[in-house]
Amino acid sequence: MSSDHSLAEQQTARHPVQYVVSSDDMQSKHYTQQVETSDAHMVRRQALAEIDNAKFGWFHIKACLVAGVGFFTDSYDIFAINLCSLIMGYVYYADAAGSAKNTTPTNIDIWVKGSTQLGCIVGQLLFGYLSDRLGRKRIYGVELMIIIVCTIGGAFSGSSVRGLSVYWILFIWRFVLGIGIGGDYPVSAIITSEFATTKRRGAMVAAVFAMQGFGIVAAAIVAIVVLACFKSGINNDQLVLDYVWRIIMGLGAVPGVIALYFRMTIPETPRYTLDVERDVYRAANDVKATIGGKDAADAATPLYQEAARQPPKNTKPTWTEFYNYFKQWRHFKVLLGTSVSWFALDVAFYGINLNSSIILNAIGFSGSGSPYNKLMKNAAGNIILNLLGTLPGYWVTVFTIDRLGRRTIQFIGFAFLIVLFCILGFGYHKILDKSVAGFIVLFTLAQFFQNFGPNTTTFIIPAEAFPTRFRSTCHGISAASGKVGAVVSSLGFFHLKDKGGKDAFIPHLIEIFALFMLLGFIVTWFVPETRGKTLEELNDDEEHQ
């Protein structure tokens, strides 16, 4: 080896050198690329370290709020349909005979509620892929535009002169709405995860998802306020309720409109810029300008300046690369675990929450007398159940997930849900006959452990457990698997609940939910614990550089 060769090795990373070994060597070696690659890795590690170890500040709060408002809107739109469907029965079936009077037919109710879930499957897969292919920033806000337009459109649904009824027009609007809501899942989760510090990443992503609880409660509160505003009109003519459901539904667009500007202006995540676009210098400056709080020019060290002279090497992820990565069992089992656990959870979660009026009827919150009294009592019951179980579950997770761990909380949640659903299912009538209060306690405990458990962790883990190049796609696949569970549950719930008489099969459905919780518990073994680890430690991102 020549002395010139030794000299080349002593050059610092800030001064790339091109040196070709003498012609006597059969292989000419160009050291510029090696040194530049070393520089790129050094800048990458430094930029990622700044993200992972940054102090929790205003930018982190802003990221959580911008993503969280979207989830508030999503859950408001998804669960407001429970009340709106009840109200529509009083408007469009006011003249029906017998038990069909004032009730939306079951087959129509299925599709109106299920349309959003079907759209979500499409949106989660589509936006999950596009977020990896085009970038998080480029598509963030598009899904919210879809939600805003379709929420307003759905509120103005009406029957065509010939052909489609108001319900089918609403089905179309809510299907497209579901595409927007579905798109929000992977993009918001990934953006929050990739901007978060390692120490608080779990809490940040959980806080975004916990806004879902506020959205569910807000839908019921808005229903009570709007009903109260139209009380005299409803008591005089129940068809006035046609205004009520449209206003409740339409108001779901308001928080989305507020958040839209901030979503459109949020920066690209440095991890995407580093690992997919391979623009090291821009990523380093983005870190300084956002988390570091410094001007990009002032933050540019000599090392960063050297990286600036390296042209970006944009390498978009491909399906071949995706296949080669997941054909290995150690990687595929993680995707299998996140997908099947989310599927199992959503069978029960949406089976109960999209049909909460049945549970409320069982515990005496269906109301009696006028349509106004029935609807007010139903909305109040929704608020009580969610305040007792749903909201506390979300926020206990936020404050404990970075101490207990994601996998631990998921195991705890599934274990308690197996026990609670068995008790509620096998003892359904006995418990209701002896103590309605006891039934409410058990039911709210189930709500609590859904959210202090797999409903939250199945959202968080896919945002951490996969490489940057596939992270959004994998989150979309996992989330779409969950929504398949929601669709299966919705269809199964409605087709089976009246087997043997009105609501006679409800106890057996709850028993079936317990079996799905057991499935979720088993596949959680495939899921890694992500607490306290950087996203790069959890994955093979270095191998892709």
Side-chain angles (χ1 to χ4, degrees):
M1 185 178 295
S2 68
S3 59
D4 290 334
H5 188 175
S6 299
L7 182 61
E9 289 181 331
Q10 295 172 14
Q11 301 298 318
T12 64
R14 293 191 295 111
H15 300 288
V17 176
Q18 180 171 326
Y19 187 86
V20 182
V21 180
S22 66
S23 57
D24 292 336
D25 243 326
M26 295 298 295
Q27 292 184 335
S28 296
K29 298 181 179 180
H30 295 267
Y31 287 94
T32 300
Q33 183 179 1
Q34 294 178 14
V35 176
E36 287 181 349
T37 301
S38 177
D39 286 346
H41 280 303
M42 197 175 301
V43 176
R44 178 180 183 272
R45 285 193 293 270
Q46 186 172 339
L48 293 177
E50 290 188 38
I51 298 171
D52 293 332
N53 301 310
K55 290 183 179 179
F56 188 77
W58 169 242
F59 180 81
H60 297 103
I61 296 171
K62 178 183 174 183
C64 288
L65 289 174
V66 171
V69 169
F71 266 87
F72 176 95
T73 304
D74 296 347
S75 62
Y76 181 102
D77 287 333
I78 289 174
F79 294 103
I81 195 63
N82 291 340
L83 294 164
C84 289
S85 183
L86 282 174
I87 294 169
M88 290 173 74
Y90 288 100
V91 176
Y92 298 102
Y93 289 90
D95 298 326
S99 60
K101 184 178 178 64
N102 296 331
T103 304
T104 300
T106 299
N107 62 324
I108 294 176
D109 202 30
I110 290 173
W111 292 107
V112 169
K113 291 179 178 178
S115 58
T116 311
Q117 310 306 321
L118 290 170
C120 279
I121 296 171
V122 176
Q124 285 159 342
L125 294 173
L126 177 63
F127 278 82
Y129 169 73
L130 290 177
S131 177
D132 282 337
R133 184 72 184 173
L134 303 178
R136 287 54 160 141
K137 174 181 172 59
R138 189 172 296 181
I139 64 169
Y140 202 41
V142 174
E143 78 296 331
L144 198 55
M145 292 180 192
I146 294 172
I147 292 170
I148 293 166
V149 171
C150 292
T151 299
I152 296 170
F156 285 97
S157 296
S159 299
S160 57
V161 176
R162 288 196 177 119
L164 298 175
S165 70
V166 62
Y167 285 102
W168 283 109
I169 298 293
L170 184 58
F171 171 88
I172 294 169
W173 278 116
R174 289 190 66 81
F175 175 80
V176 183
L177 169 70
I179 294 176
I181 292 174
D184 200 18
Y185 273 67
V187 187
S188 286
I190 300 310
I191 284 178
T192 307
S193 175
E194 291 182 350
F195 272 124
T197 66
T198 301
K199 184 179 179 180
R200 294 184 174 87
R201 188 177 61 238
M204 284 180 63
V205 182
V208 169
F209 194 65
M211 294 300 290
Q212 191 177 69
F214 289 122
I216 295 170
V217 173
I221 292 173
V222 169
I224 287 175
V225 172
V226 177
L227 282 166
C229 291
F230 284 87
K231 179 178 180 179
S232 59
I234 295 167
N235 288 333
N236 291 327
D237 179 8
Q238 74 180 53
L239 295 184
V240 171
L241 285 166
D242 194 40
Y243 293 108
V244 174
W245 75 263
R246 295 177 189 276
I247 293 171
I248 293 170
M249 190 174 291
L251 286 174
V254 174
V257 172
I258 295 170
L260 183 59
Y261 168 77
F262 298 100
R263 286 206 171 186
M264 299 295 288
T265 56
I266 201 165
E268 182 58 86
T269 70
R271 280 187 164 90
Y272 185 86
T273 308
L274 284 167
D275 296 341
V276 180
E277 295 180 343
R278 304 292 175 89
D279 192 337
V280 179
Y281 183 71
R282 182 162 70 86
N285 277 345
D286 284 346
V287 171
K288 289 293 185 180
T290 54
I291 297 173
K294 299 178 183 178
D295 180 75
D298 294 339
T301 65
L303 183 61
Y304 284 31
Q305 292 168 355
E306 184 58 56
R309 290 198 282 271
Q310 302 175 27
K313 302 173 183 178
N314 197 322
T315 57
K316 300 294 185 183
T318 64
W319 287 114
T320 301
E321 187 183 2
F322 182 90
Y323 170 77
N324 288 333
Y325 183 82
F326 284 103
K327 72 181 181 181
Q328 301 176 59
W329 170 245
R330 68 191 179 98
H331 296 144
F332 177 72
K333 72 176 182 179
V334 178
L335 183 58
L336 182 67
T338 58
S339 299
V340 176
S341 59
W342 205 332
F343 169 84
L345 179 276
D346 273 8
V347 169
F349 183 79
Y350 283 95
I352 288 176
N353 285 282
L354 283 179
N355 304 282
S356 57
S357 58
I358 296 170
I359 302 297
L360 290 170
N361 180 61
I363 62 177
F365 268 89
S366 59
S368 59
S370 68
Y372 175 83
N373 289 334
K374 290 182 179 179
L375 292 169
M376 284 292 279
K377 197 164 185 181
N378 187 285
N382 270 296
I383 293 173
I384 292 170
L385 288 180
N386 284 293
L387 287 178
L388 288 175
T390 302
L391 272 176
Y394 279 122
W395 289 98
V396 169
T397 304
V398 171
F399 292 115
T400 61
I401 194 162
D402 285 316
R403 289 196 294 271
L404 296 178
R406 290 70 154 148
R407 196 166 180 252
T408 301
I409 290 176
Q410 187 158 307
F411 271 128
I412 290 171
F414 274 129
F416 273 95
L417 288 170
I418 292 167
V419 174
L420 289 166
F421 283 143
C422 283
I423 294 171
L424 286 168
F426 289 105
Y428 188 85
H429 294 295
K430 291 180 180 178
I431 297 170
L432 280 174
D433 290 342
K434 290 187 176 181
S435 174
V436 172
F439 186 92
I440 293 173
V441 169
L442 289 169
F443 185 78
T444 54
L445 279 173
Q447 297 280 74
F448 176 84
F449 282 107
Q450 280 182 327
N451 296 294
F452 176 61
N455 189 43
T456 305
T457 55
T458 53
F459 178 80
I460 296 171
I461 295 171
E464 303 174 307
F466 302 103
T468 303
R469 297 173 65 76
F470 315 129
R471 188 170 292 131
S472 186
T473 300
C474 293
H475 195 286
I477 291 170
S478 302
S481 300
K483 286 298 177 285
V484 170
V487 171
V488 168
S489 179
S490 297
L491 295 175
F493 199 105
F494 278 107
H495 282 105
L496 293 174
K497 72 182 183 70
D498 293 327
K499 186 178 180 180
K502 184 173 175 58
D503 296 338
F505 205 73
I506 296 294
H508 301 301
L509 283 172
I510 297 175
E511 294 162 13
I512 292 170
F513 293 160
L515 286 176
F516 279 98
M517 297 304 96
L518 177 60
L519 172 63
F521 184 90
I522 293 170
V523 297
T524 297
W525 289 104
F526 294 156
V527 173
E529 178 52 70
T530 58
R531 175 176 62 93
K533 298 178 182 178
T534 69
L535 296 179
E536 288 63 45
E537 288 173 330
L538 289 164
N539 304 292
D540 294 331
D541 275 1
E542 286 291 347
E543 294 178 7
H544 294 279
Q545 301 315 307

